[in-house]
Every structure is written in C-alpha cells, then in structure tokens.
Amino acid sequence: MIAQNLSLVESRIEKACKSANRERSEVVLVAVTKTYPVADVETLANLGLSHFGENRDQEGREKSANVPAHWHFQGQIQSNKIPSIASWAHTVHSLDEKRHCEKLARSLPEGKKLGIFIQVALDESPGRGGVAPDGLAEMADWVLTFPFLILHGLMAVAPLGEVPDQAFGRLASIHSVFSQQFPDSSALSAGMSDDFESAIAHGATHVRIGSSILGSRSNPL
Ligand SMILES: *Cc1c(COP(=O)(O)O)cnc(C)c1O
C-alpha cells in the first residue's frame, strides 16, 4: 500500500515538474511521518526515501534514532524542546522567532550544522505561525549571524480557506524578492498532500507530504 501510494505521489511530482518546466531533481520530497509508526519510516527508507519530517520533538527523536536519514522538523517550536530538536534534526522549517533561532544555535552539538527555513505568514490570522513578509529580511540577517545555522530559504503553509494557487502565487512573489536579497538562501519549502502540485508550479524546492503516502491520520496534528 505504502509503495503504491509513494509511486503515485512520485508520478504526480514528476508531472507537476514537467508542467512547470522544471527538473524533477529540483524538488526534494520530505515524507512527513508524524503519527505513523517507525516501521512505516523503515518501509519508506527501504523504498529509497532519505528525507523525513516530524512535527513533535519526541517522535522525531525516537524515529531518527532508529532510521538514519535527513530529518526535518516542521512543527511549532516550543522553547523547552529546542535542545532536543537541535540534537536530532538536520533542518528546521518552522523558524519564526528570533529567540528560538538563538537558542537553536546555542544548543547545537559541537560541530553540527542546522539547516533553517524561515516560516512566512501568508495570512493575517495570528496563531498559525510565521513571520510577516516585511519582517523576513530582518529575520534572515539574524539567522546569518550564527555560523552553524545554514539559511536555506522560506517555508509556508497555505492558509485554510484560501485557494492554494492564490496563496502560493503570493508566496512566489515574496520568495522572488527574498531570493534577490539572499541569493544563497533561495530554497522554498511549500506544498502538502492536497496542494503540492500548485506549490511546485510556484517554485517549491521542498514538498512535505504525509497522508498521500501513509494514509489519513487518526489524530491529526
Ligand atoms: C502535517 C504537515 C504536513 C504534511 O501534511 P499532509 O497533508 O499529511 O501531507 C506538511 N507540513 C506541515 C507543516 C505539517 O504540519
């Protein structure tokens, strides 16, 4: 089942890349394994996947201890979890506060580097996380002051109740301005099970896909 789902998702990614005149190699598939057992992660690793994403520290810590891979954290950051997240995650997608950035940098084990995406708020409603577009440059400058944080680019989630194409269109213009200011940080993490084709059309370099591959979650995060 998982293998079939994965190959279906793979072909959808390929098709979306083709329609957008992009190479498949420009898009990293991050399999979001939150709430699924470690056995599913092992299945995906055996099928050739090497990027996995988690929303909760404890799950990420346990699964990453069992399956060596590139581990992403894309959940809401809780300050007291930062030392642990810094120990197992290779990339954090959901940075939206300066103090978290500083704490992540200070918590990193000796010699370890951490990839960072700054989360963009695509709507006005507070609570879903993200930095307002006019605060992104300042946040990026801040991230860049920490030598062991590697700023990859921007991340976003399409707001509920908005057509993804419209939200990701807005994201594409924000991203275009940002990449001109920060040419070494031009990655774009966007797109989930229901909207990744649209995200790819608008320039996503990292898609975060869970339920299309692993089935619907009984307790969504
Ligand atoms: C859960 C989650 C995903 C994956 O969502 P699916 O709809 O299962 O593909 C991607 N990004 C974030 C931030 C998430 O919380």
Side-chain angles (χ1 to χ4, degrees):
M1 193 61 184
I2 291 180
Q4 273 168 17
N5 289 347
L6 177 61
S7 79
L8 211 66
V9 164
E10 260 305 335
S11 60
R12 284 171 62 191
I13 295 175
E14 247 166 65
K15 201 166 153 203
C17 287
K18 206 166 269 172
S19 322
N21 264 320
R22 301 180 60 198
E23 298 290 330
R24 170 64 186 88
S25 58
E26 293 174 41
V27 178
V28 176
L29 167 59
V30 179
V32 174
T33 50
K34 66 185 183 197
T35 76
Y36 301 102
V38 70
D40 286 358
V41 186
E42 283 161 353
T43 301
L44 290 173
N46 289 332
L47 290 166
L49 289 197
S50 55
H51 288 264
F52 300 105
E54 287 289 335
N55 280 51
R56 288 196 176 159
D57 168 53
Q58 193 184 333
E59 270 195 84
R61 185 163 18 105
E62 288 169 5
K63 292 177 196 171
S64 61
N66 284 290
V67 185
H70 189 113
W71 283 90
H72 301 255
F73 180 83
Q74 77 259 323
Q76 199 180 353
I77 300 174
Q78 287 175 278
S79 186
N80 61 330
K81 300 290 166 62
I82 285 178
S84 174
I85 293 168
S87 74
W88 62 263
H90 301 96
T91 301
V92 169
H93 289 241
S94 40
L95 182 77
D96 62 359
E97 286 194 42
K98 279 186 172 178
R99 65 190 174 102
H100 290 162
C101 174
E102 192 167 4
K103 194 164 178 180
L104 278 166
R106 273 197 273 106
S107 306
L108 279 176
E110 177 98 30
K112 186 180 178 206
K113 294 186 175 180
L114 182 67
I116 297 284
F117 286 86
I118 300 172
Q119 186 171 351
V120 186
L122 286 179
D123 60 3
E124 312 285 291
S125 75
R128 296 198 78 215
V131 176
D134 65 3
L136 292 172
E138 189 185 330
M139 182 65 97
D141 283 333
W142 180 247
V143 175
L144 290 169
T145 62
F146 299 96
F148 293 100
L149 298 183
I150 310 302
L151 182 61
H152 290 320
L154 301 179
M155 176 273 210
V157 177
L160 294 169
E162 186 180 6
V163 180
D165 244 353
Q166 191 176 314
F168 290 145
R170 207 156 64 246
L171 178 63
S173 12
I174 295 166
H175 179 239
S176 141
V177 172
F178 187 85
S179 325
Q180 277 163 32
Q181 287 175 292
F182 302 95
D184 295 332
S185 307
S186 59
L188 183 62
S189 167
M192 307 175 24
S193 286
D194 291 337
D195 56 20
F196 67 84
E197 280 108 336
S198 164
I200 289 171
H202 288 102
T205 60
H206 292 66
V207 291
R208 311 175 309 268
I209 301 177
S211 51
S212 290
I213 299 172
L214 292 166
S216 53
R217 283 177 293 271
S218 45
N219 57 336
L221 287 180

